[in-house]
Amino acid sequence: MKPRRIVDEMDSYVPGRSQDEIAQEFNLKKDEIIKLGSNENPWGPSPKAMEAIKKEIPSINRYPESQLKELVSEMARYSGVEDSQVIVGGDGADEIIDVLAKTFIDEGDEFIVPLPSYMYYEYLLQQYGARPVYAKWDLDKNELDVDSIFETIGERTKMIFLCSPNNPTGTLIQKDVLADIASKNPDILVVVDEAYFEYSEVTNKDLINEFNNIFIIRTMSKVLGLAGMRIGYGLACSEIIEYMHRIKPVFSLTRLSFVAALNTFRDTEYIEESIRKGIESRQYLYDELSKIDSLNVFPSKSNFMLIGIRDTGFTASQLALELMKRGIIVRDCTSFKGLDEYWIRISICTLDEDKKFIDIIKEVLS
């Protein structure tokens, strides 16, 4: 049985290595492995979310709520928008991107991704027959090459994906740049990925009231500590949200995910503490790694940072292997389009884990 042509031609998405894989391969204890490869919240979920999950377990024989009105209202309150400007996704931000594609993409359409950036955009939209066109980030200046965006726009361009802070560079895109791109291209959807906006303390959500062609993606997998529950959401003008609801699966959010999300948004103290500790960890890692002459450490506004390792004598796969042997997982960025084999990405951990990582990478590079 042959799959669809596009499926046959697609490359698989390459995720980071798991703790279970590393523990088995290198004969390590799973609970001693430090995971710096997946941009998660290392301090765990909200206690209020965990308590709500326990109380909801007896009800998992029942279908979840389909309208999600209570959660939508909490997301709108948290985001400072109207309820009608919010859509909830049950597979993290990935479902939001998938529903965007189902709603707006026709076969043969094009979408723009500046490289390097989050490659799952490409993975999802190609399934619907869309073709990626690549703009670029200026790695020397650590900023978006805005001219390259305008140069790649064509007659079939349907979407432009702009991640801010960008994954993996940690770079912010200025609000006036986003507004300029949207205003000059009213028939193109400008998709702004704000998965990490809390760490940057910058949001572009006000633009959805100004432009009906801006869509903002968000997730509960980072600051909000619910990566394992798979909850994402999107912000846009009410018209876009209404179109997407025609396509979106009705029961994509589980009962446990629903109560976890609801109670996390209501736990203001947890959210503020997650942001504070995340920024503290990021600054510590940047300060300590910048002292190592062979590393090119990018300043970041997210919970991760990109590191050039060309002067270390290692490729990314070689360095990642040496670190894995010692119980440290980092992201080998060799598979990222727009980067070569001399880049890794690390994410924040607890300060104790950060210090252990710094000691080990110094040992490996010495």
Side-chain angles (χ1 to χ4, degrees), residues 1-31:
M1 182 71 183
K2 288 282 288 182
R4 292 168 52 222
R5 176 187 56 79
I6 186 61
V7 177
D8 191 42
E9 295 173 354
M10 282 176 62
D11 293 326
S12 296
Y13 180 73
V14 182
R17 299 288 300 276
S18 72
Q19 287 170 297
D20 287 317
E21 288 179 278
I22 304 307
Q24 184 173 2
E25 185 173 346
F26 298 105
N27 195 28
L28 301 168
K29 294 180 180 179
K30 179 181 175 180
D31 59 0

Side-chain angles (χ1 to χ4, degrees), residues 49 52-54 56-57 60 229 231 253-261:
I53 289 170
K54 291 177 186 176
E56 190 67 20
I57 288 173
I60 61 173
M229 301 303 285
I231 309 156
L253 202 68
T254 70
R255 296 187 74 96
L256 301 186
S257 295
F258 175 80
V259 297

